[in-house]
Amino acid sequence: MATVFKNIFDYEQAAASKLSQDAYEYLTGGADDKRTIKRNASVFSKIQLVPRRLVDVSKIDMKLSLFGNEYASPIILSPVGMQKLFHPDGAKATAKAADAGGHLMIASTVTNHSYATIAKGMAPKPWFQLYSTTQLEVTKQLIKTVEANGCEVLVLTVDVPVVGNREKHAKMLVENVEGRALSIENLAGKLGPEDHFHNPALTWEIIPWIKEQCKMKIILKGILSPKDASLCLKYDVDGIIVSNHGGRQLESDLSSLEALMDVIEITNTQIPVLLDGGIRRGTDVLKALALGATAVCIGRPYIYGLATDGAAGVFDVLNILDTELKRNMQLCGIRNLEEIDGSYLRFPKF
Ligand SMILES: Cc1cc2nc3c(=O)[nH]c(=O)nc-3n(C[C@H](O)[C@H](O)[C@H](O)COP(=O)(O)O)c2cc1C
């Protein structure tokens, strides 16, 4: 009989037994002592849900509209690099599952299939996550290539001026990623030995420069400070992903959910604000949306599915979270995403 996975934690366990030690450490790794990773997830339980009664919840609409496209659910796939470490079909399998389930996918710069390969046949096209390399000319060509392949939204990751202190997988990172043992198709043969995917010299001036190169919308991923949220508005970016890179960069003891509250106060519905980090249950999704997130993204959870069963595993993980979210919306008396707001939340008084 086929194993039935009831939740994300079942998939996490299955992935642990399937993956090599190196791949597992890369997936679950985090900065320093992993306090930020833990806080990302544990903070959700500090907020309570207050359900409403006697609402007709026989029909639930979870559709998300974003930049003119419609998706089946507010659960988006965060960019994850090096996906061939987890399954031979890598991000191609992820794309197949996202497309089949109507979920938006964000394709990483540093995964092993090119954007063109991943996006082929998908509708709507995935967003593209950009690491601005130390070679602006290479970055420019990459931007032009993804736009020519139908990408409408560029997600610039801004929280990796340098790679965080991930002690458990530092060696593996150097051998596979820096050493380029697994090819990174978006950048294959383009960077010299002294060049790097991450550019520590990047400043806010990269935004007008990107706008000169393309017509794609620009979203910044990795915003935590309200001051940076203000700068996002000043530089006219189209959206924000509140994220601490899944606790892989700075050991900040600040969860993305806490940062979301500060950012939302500044953006005040002017631009979409997404959140990632620590989402493991439908109730987590609901709480983030009730705090003002337009949608949420997940990273490790869908990779647990990928490692366990390729595209079918990713599809199932997304289905599990969608099913949990739907049930929780019904239990709260909420019929669609527009109805989700702070009135369903309570902060413990003792
Ligand atoms: C193995 C792995 C690889 C990642 N690669 C990228 C990447 O290439 N680009 C990026 O912007 N974020 C990357 N991230 C961060 C995710 O996009 C996301 O912010 C994070 O995984 C969300 O936290 P969660 O795993 O708790 O859902 C990666 C995360 C993991 C776990």
Side-chain angles (χ1 to χ4, degrees):
M1 210 179 83
T3 317
V4 176
F5 298 99
K6 291 189 297 301
N7 53 47
I8 303 309
F9 305 104
D10 288 348
Y11 268 106
E12 183 175 2
Q13 258 188 6
S17 62
K18 273 231 164 167
L19 290 173
S20 69
Q21 187 68 16
D22 269 354
Y24 182 73
E25 297 289 7
Y26 179 61
L27 177 57
T28 56
D32 295 0
D33 306 306
K34 296 200 189 180
R35 295 200 306 266
T36 303
I37 294 192
K38 286 178 199 137
R39 193 172 179 101
N40 270 351
S42 65
V43 76
F44 282 97
S45 65
K46 295 196 191 302
I47 301 177
Q48 300 161 335
L49 285 169
V50 186
R52 298 296 309 279
R53 304 304 184 202
L54 296 175
V55 178
D56 176 357
V57 288
S58 52
K59 289 194 186 67
I60 298 296
D61 180 1
M62 302 205 304
K63 281 198 282 302
L64 168 74
S65 293
L66 210 46
F67 301 131
N69 285 313
E70 198 163 89
Y71 305 93
S73 150
I75 301 169
I76 296 171
L77 290 82
S78 290
V80 169
M82 308 303 291
Q83 292 194 29
K84 272 196 180 175
L85 278 174
F86 312 117
H87 189 276
D89 297 337
K92 252 172 45 176
T94 298
K96 191 174 162 197
D99 198 46
H103 288 255
L104 170 61
M105 170 183 180
I106 309 175
S108 164
T109 292
V110 295
T111 198
N112 312 108
H113 292 100
S114 68
Y115 178 82
T117 305
I118 292 169
K120 199 171 168 202
M122 285 180 86
K125 295 289 181 201
W127 294 358
F128 181 70
Q129 175 268 321
L130 180 72
Y131 280 133
S132 184
T133 70
T134 44
Q135 285 295 337
L136 271 193
E137 191 52 37
V138 172
T139 306
K140 181 175 166 177
Q141 287 315 317
L142 186 53
I143 292 172
K144 301 238 176 254
T145 304
V146 299
E147 189 171 37
N149 280 282
C151 184
E152 293 171 16
V153 180
L154 195 70
V155 176
L156 177 70
T157 296
V158 291
D159 55 12
V160 194
V162 295
V163 176
N165 179 43
R166 306 177 208 156
E167 291 160 7
K168 280 276 178 63
H169 70 247
K171 181 167 166 284
M172 195 295 269
L173 202 63
V174 170
E175 284 165 6
N176 273 311
V177 183
E178 318 279 318
R180 297 162 205 183
L182 276 173
S183 91
I184 290 169
E185 290 295 309
N186 285 316
L187 295 169
K190 300 206 172 90
L191 291 176
E194 300 301 315
D195 298 327
H196 211 283
F197 313 127
H198 310 299
N199 185 353
L202 222 57
T203 68
W204 287 90
E205 290 316 309
I206 192 72
I207 311 291
W209 181 83
I210 293 177
K211 282 175 188 265
E212 279 169 25
Q213 315 307 321
C214 69
K215 295 197 161 42
M216 289 182 280
K217 301 223 175 285
I218 303 175
I219 290 195
L220 294 201
K221 174 174 183 281
I223 297 297
L224 295 170
S225 159
K227 290 190 175 169
D228 283 344
S230 296
L231 285 170
C232 285
L233 296 179
K234 180 178 165 201
Y235 279 83
D236 209 16
V237 307
D238 301 287
I240 289 175
I241 303 182
V242 173
S243 170
N244 54 26
H245 216 99
R248 291 162 85 79
Q249 286 299 103
L250 175 70
E251 180 87 290
S252 57
D253 296 306
L254 171 67
S255 69
S256 357
L257 194 71
E258 289 163 294
L260 174 74
M261 301 198 231
D262 301 338
V263 167
I264 290 281
E265 255 182 53
I266 301 293
T267 56
N268 193 23
T269 72
Q270 292 177 71
I271 52 174
V273 176
L274 283 54
L275 163 136
D276 77 15
I279 302 270
R280 299 295 180 269
R281 283 284 190 188
T283 49
D284 301 339
V285 180
L286 192 49
K287 287 173 184 178
L289 298 185
L291 278 174
T294 309
V296 301
C297 316
I298 54 166
R300 295 180 187 88
Y302 78 82
I303 300 292
Y304 298 144
L306 178 69
T308 306
D309 197 14
V314 177
F315 187 85
D316 197 33
V317 160
L318 294 169
N319 187 45
I320 285 173
L321 284 175
D322 279 346
T323 306
E324 288 186 0
L325 175 61
K326 181 180 173 195
R327 183 186 299 115
N328 291 317
M329 285 171 68
Q330 288 174 305
L331 290 171
C332 277
I334 298 171
R335 292 163 298 190
N336 54 54
L337 301 188
E338 288 68 42
E339 287 183 355
I340 302 176
D341 65 22
S343 68
Y344 295 93
L345 299 179
R346 181 180 183 278
F347 296 85
K349 298 199 170 63
F350 56 86

